[in-house]
Amino acid sequence: MFELVVLALISQQPLLPVVEGTASYYTVAETSSITASGEPFRNDAYTCAMNVGEFGKYFLVVAENGRSVICRLNDRGPFVKGRVIDLSRAAMRALH
């Protein structure tokens, strides 16, 4: 898990922090699981789950180590107290 800052990517707008907090990653045994947006979950895609936000929007996730990744919101979660975003396995690996 990482402490991070999530920034909404809006064209021609200054990047403003949406939320700061702890991230986790989630994965499923089979990539055929369906996300809340209705699309199949893919471990190899740079996607994320948040409790707020429009599906299809992109978020810049910046870890404390300075690494960052751009993820597309396609699911809801996390459902663990204290966490603000769930990242796909590929997105979390990019932050390591």
Side-chain angles (χ1 to χ4, degrees):
M1 290 186 286
F2 280 102
E3 291 294 319
L4 54 85
V5 176
V6 178
L7 303 166
L9 296 179
I10 304 170
S11 63
Q12 299 181 4
Q13 297 286 329
L15 292 177
L16 301 173
V18 173
V19 66
E20 292 186 36
T22 302
S24 57
Y25 85 96
Y26 69 115
T27 186
V28 293
E30 296 186 25
T31 58
S32 61
S33 295
I34 302 298
T35 63
S37 66
E39 67 184 70
F41 176 80
R42 294 181 48 208
N43 287 315
D44 61 343
Y46 285 19
T47 58
C48 63
M50 294 176 65
N51 288 319
V52 297
E54 290 181 46
F55 292 134
K57 295 285 185 179
Y58 289 87
F59 293 86
L60 174 65
V61 180
V62 181
E64 284 185 327
N65 64 10
R67 293 187 180 195
S68 62
V69 66
I70 296 173
C71 297
R72 185 173 47 81
L73 180 63
N74 74 338
D75 208 355
R76 292 293 177 217
F79 300 108
V80 176
K81 187 176 180 177
R83 296 186 187 158
V84 297
I85 191 171
D86 275 336
L87 301 172
S88 64
R89 182 171 47 193
M92 184 61 90
R93 283 186 177 168
L95 294 175
H96 278 274

